[in-house]
Amino acid sequence: MTRVTKSTSDDELRKLVRDWLQAHWNASDRRPRDAAVQNWVRVVFDAGWSVPTWPVEWYGCGLTSQQAALIEAEFACVHAPGAGLDRFHLAANTVLTFGQDVLKREVLRGLVVGELKYCLLYSEPGAGSDLAALRTRADREDDHWLVTGQKVWTSGAQTADFGLLLARTDWSVPKHQGISFFCLPMKQSGIEVRPIRQITGDSHFNEVFLDSARVPATHLLGQENAGWKILQTALAYERLMMGEGAGERRVGQEWHASQNDNSVDLLSLARTHGCHENPWIRQEIARALGYRHLNALNTDRAKAELTVSRSSSLMSLGKLAMSRILHEDARVMTSILGASSLLDGPQYPDAADVNYRTANAYMTSIGGGTDQIQRNIIAERVLGLPREVEVDRNVPFGSDRNDTAMR
Amino acid sequence: MSDLSLDVRVAMRDAFHKLLAKLSREEDVRHAMDTAPGYSARLWEQMSEIGITGLLVPARYGGIGAGPVELEMLMEEAGASLLCSPLLSSGVLSAVVLSSSSDEEIKARLLPDLASGKRIGALAFTGNRGLWTADDVEVAAAQTRDGWRLQGTSSYVLSAAQADFLLIFARRGSGCACFEVDPKDPQVVVEALPSWDATLRISKVICSGATGTPIAGADWRIAERALDFARIALVGEQAGGSRRIFDITIDHIKTRVQFGRAVGAFQAMKHMAADLLLEVESATSAARCAAQALTEHAPDAGALVSLATFTCKDVFVQVAASAIQMHGGIAFTWDHPAHLYLRRARADAQLFGTSASYRERYLAQLEQRI
């Protein structure tokens, strides 16, 4: 195929993408034309459409983000996944930006096309909202580091090939300044993964125990002790991923639109349970449906604002709004079910559903930053209110630090 | 109704913004609310010069011929500055009823002066229950040898005491129809009602055999159409008012120092502020989407207008009420503007129906669409 460059005109680029999609993608079935294709993203990647803004020496074409947007738009038109990974792929973009060449050669391609899996080794039992208080240590030994500690809330740890790891490498400096960022090989003996049983009964997350796990020195990202800054970049990609919500954007082999729709038909449920004419229930339903509707309108407006400016304050509100939606849905469903919400199990699917939703809503209101932390962030970063005082911000972390409150 | 070009829209908004910054400052609002008419004739005149009074009147009657999108946008400005004027009564309700009728004689006679702001109209279309539904109309029209006579009371009539002509909905046969009534008719009594929102001018209009001129083609469907525009005007006002009192509050908590820190540094304040921001943004999105949908005659326009209406009613009240709490003692004083926003918010929350009634309407509209 013709390699596109920065100087390719928009019209030419659009035509190239369109023709390529026409030849390879069956838009009506939302499948690749070639039934033998196992990994569609790899096909897209090899054609150059996955990471077009990346530099030429690293699988990209050095295109501008405006050009990349044209490519994404063409893919979106025919509901084809696989484009825009240079915006969305958290691990690959972090490695591209901060990784050493050895590491990039080893993992970049595999990460983008989904043949290498990764997990995030950030949170710890003693470092949740206050992530910079982490205590997992990495100590340098010749050409590698030895990592010891415990991580928690790690999804995908069983299958991951690599973990993006935050570990403390200097204990003599304040907490943000002694952290380094690594790409840790997960398939090794010093790592034990134990699933966590959640309040829903599910196990999406794991604890990861690290006991002298080895990470090559070539897998350090950025400078030693500069991990906090790198984390900010990684988090920005993560927020971008979460912010755009549902759609065909899921990275990986599946080419069905991802089912990110957690909405519930409250009206049908009320009809089933014979209370759809109860005025009080109707008020509750209207309010809950309204919250969801408003969030969609806010998201639309945020997207419109993002086309004219780099950021929209609306984006940071989405997570807080979704927390309320999920908790409210569950609460209203419970009102609709009344006493039957006491029941559970497969014979009582409505009850099982509402009970599950009630418990699972905390995934959003706690995970990825609690609602309370989110409110602080909105107040400080969007509204410009004064920062919270952090009593340990400028205090050397110290290996003997204990977790009792500082005064 | 035609859409204005983006440039014209922005120019109008800027002109209105500048005008309000000059003539609808807090001191102007306080002055206006202490006068009988409740608005400044000078401000009204200048509103007319930039096309606000005739915004919804078709161009061939001397208006701008704008639609819901422009109305909502300008009302955000009006709400932010707590504009006191007969705009809702004359420029929205009366303008839409008259423009939507098929009565060329009345349109030609009334609309040009309404558009220029020279004459003010008031629409009487609800009774003592204040439900703004056809069932709630308590005035009856009867045909006599000398024409139509109206009997009965309308209530919650905006700007009736300021009006040069009244448009009164009355029962006629099995339905409702609109009549033009001269407020100087001795058979008409306009009784001003005291309102907690001192910037509001509402009255009862009591007809005891008043002469009514029927307006051709003005049945209850036209009242509904006027209500749609009034809802858009109101959600714009509420979104704009919410935003302004929210901004005033955030400025306050950034500068008010207690315990050696700006009070906005405390999480108790931050969390209220973050929650209110979500409400203000939601109100803004809802108001603008509803206006857009109504302009485009979108199939979900009805539901969006209902959603915006109950959201903006609730949000403005919540934001204005929280603003007083977040200010502390200073906002408990008459001299602080926060209570003016709460008064307007509580008035807007009741006009044209309660938020609960709009939640019910929203749900019913969603059910119809399934």
Side-chain angles (χ1 to χ4, degrees), chain B residues 31-326:
Chain B
H31 177 73
M33 72 190 197
D34 287 338
T35 65
Y39 70 99
S40 145
R42 183 164 160 237
L43 172 56
W44 184 248
E45 211 176 281
Q46 297 198 19
M47 281 166 64
S48 149
E49 278 165 25
I50 59 172
I52 307 289
T53 53
L55 186 74
L56 301 179
V57 174
R60 67 196 151 102
Y61 300 111
I64 301 285
V69 170
E70 292 81 13
L71 177 64
E72 190 280 335
M73 181 185 77
L74 294 166
M75 288 305 291
E76 284 189 27
E77 297 290 338
S81 76
L82 295 175
L83 168 68
C84 304
S85 84
L87 184 61
L88 190 54
S89 158
S90 193
V92 180
L93 291 169
S94 304
V96 175
V97 165
L98 290 175
S99 313
S100 312
S101 79
S102 55
D103 199 318
E104 286 308 321
E105 185 276 320
I106 285 186
K107 286 202 235 191
R109 181 159 53 79
L110 296 180
L111 279 176
D113 280 355
L114 185 151
S116 72
K118 216 160 102 191
R119 302 181 75 199
I120 288 167
L123 180 67
F125 63 147
T126 194
N128 283 309
R129 288 186 300 168
L131 300 178
W132 285 275
T133 59
D135 290 346
D136 197 36
V137 170
E138 294 172 19
V139 181
Q143 197 159 23
T144 69
R145 255 190 335 200
D146 309 322
W148 289 89
R149 294 280 183 267
L150 305 189
Q151 183 80 31
T153 301
S154 313
S155 199
Y156 307 106
V157 186
L158 293 165
S159 305
Q162 289 71 33
D164 300 293
F165 58 89
L166 300 171
L167 305 174
I168 300 180
F169 268 90
R171 301 184 165 281
R172 189 173 87 177
S174 58
C176 273
C178 193
F179 294 84
E180 180 200 354
V181 174
D182 182 352
K184 291 196 276 296
D185 184 327
Q187 306 310 314
V188 176
V189 176
V190 174
E191 182 188 316
L193 296 168
S195 168
W196 193 64
D197 175 12
T199 68
L200 189 69
R201 291 294 175 272
I202 44 170
S203 300
K204 263 186 194 180
V205 174
I206 304 154
C207 295
S208 347
T211 303
T213 309
I215 303 170
D219 57 14
W220 190 258
R221 276 174 308 183
I222 279 177
E224 283 292 348
R225 187 170 158 76
L227 272 171
D228 265 338
F229 279 82
R231 288 168 192 129
I232 294 297
L234 217 54
V235 296
E237 169 164 299
Q238 288 158 330
S242 302
R243 173 84 56 183
R244 180 65 61 84
I245 187 59
F246 177 73
D247 289 346
I248 291 172
T249 306
I250 297 303
D251 282 347
H252 174 78
I253 65 174
K254 279 180 185 171
T255 48
R256 166 75 174 168
V257 174
Q258 292 284 275
F259 303 103
R261 304 164 73 189
V263 296
F266 296 110
Q267 292 198 3
M269 286 291 184
K270 283 182 178 166
H271 291 195
M272 285 178 91
D275 286 339
L276 292 181
L277 178 65
L278 174 58
E279 301 301 341
V280 173
E281 294 292 3
S282 300
T284 306
S285 298
R288 292 179 186 173
C289 281
Q292 189 72 40
L294 201 61
T295 299
E296 291 165 357
H297 305 286
D300 59 349
L304 279 167
V305 171
S306 297
L307 173 68
T309 303
F310 75 72
T311 300
C312 293
K313 281 172 182 286
D314 292 347
V315 168
F316 194 16
V317 172
Q318 186 194 344
V319 175
S322 303
I324 295 179
Q325 187 64 31
M326 291 170 81

Side-chain angles (χ1 to χ4, degrees), chain A residues 103-133:
Chain A
L103 178 66
K104 289 193 213 175
R105 269 192 294 276
E106 185 183 335
V107 304
L108 264 187
R109 183 176 190 279
L111 284 172
V112 175
V113 303
E115 286 163 3
L116 290 176
K117 306 281 183 206
Y118 70 98
C119 61
L120 303 177
L121 300 167
Y122 297 166
S123 297
E124 298 181 8
S129 294
D130 182 13
L131 187 56

Side-chain angles (χ1 to χ4, degrees), chain A residues 267 271 282-283 285-287 289-290 293-294 297-298 301 313-314 317 320-321 324 372 375-376 378-380 382-389, chain B residues 246 253-254 261-262 264-265 267 270-271 273-275 277 279 281-282 284-286 288-289 304 307 310-311 356 359-360 362-364 366-367:
Chain A
L267 267 169
R271 246 175 257 125
R282 292 178 66 80
Q283 289 287 311
I285 293 175
R287 201 178 316 228
L289 294 178
H293 204 159
L294 291 170
L297 301 184
N298 279 339
R301 189 155 67 88
S313 64
L314 283 162
L317 293 168
L320 197 56
R324 172 162 76 178
Q372 285 64 38
R375 289 186 176 99
N376 285 355
I378 292 165
E380 292 173 9
V382 180
L383 297 174
L385 294 177
R387 275 188 69 101
E388 199 62 26
V389 173
Chain B
F246 177 73
I253 65 174
K254 279 180 185 171
R261 304 164 73 189
Q267 292 198 3
K270 283 182 178 166
H271 291 195
D275 286 339
L277 178 65
E279 301 301 341
E281 294 292 3
S282 300
T284 306
S285 298
R288 292 179 186 173
C289 281
L304 279 167
L307 173 68
F310 75 72
T311 300
R359 269 191 293 277
E360 173 53 43
Y362 172 65
L363 201 60
L366 292 183
E367 281 172 316

Side-chain angles (χ1 to χ4, degrees), chain A residues 38 42 45 157 192 203 223 242 245 247 258 265 271 334 359 367 379:
Chain A
Q38 293 289 312
R42 190 168 68 195
F45 179 87
E192 187 194 346
S203 290
Q223 299 293 312
M242 299 196 317
S258 71
D265 189 347
R271 246 175 257 125
T334 306

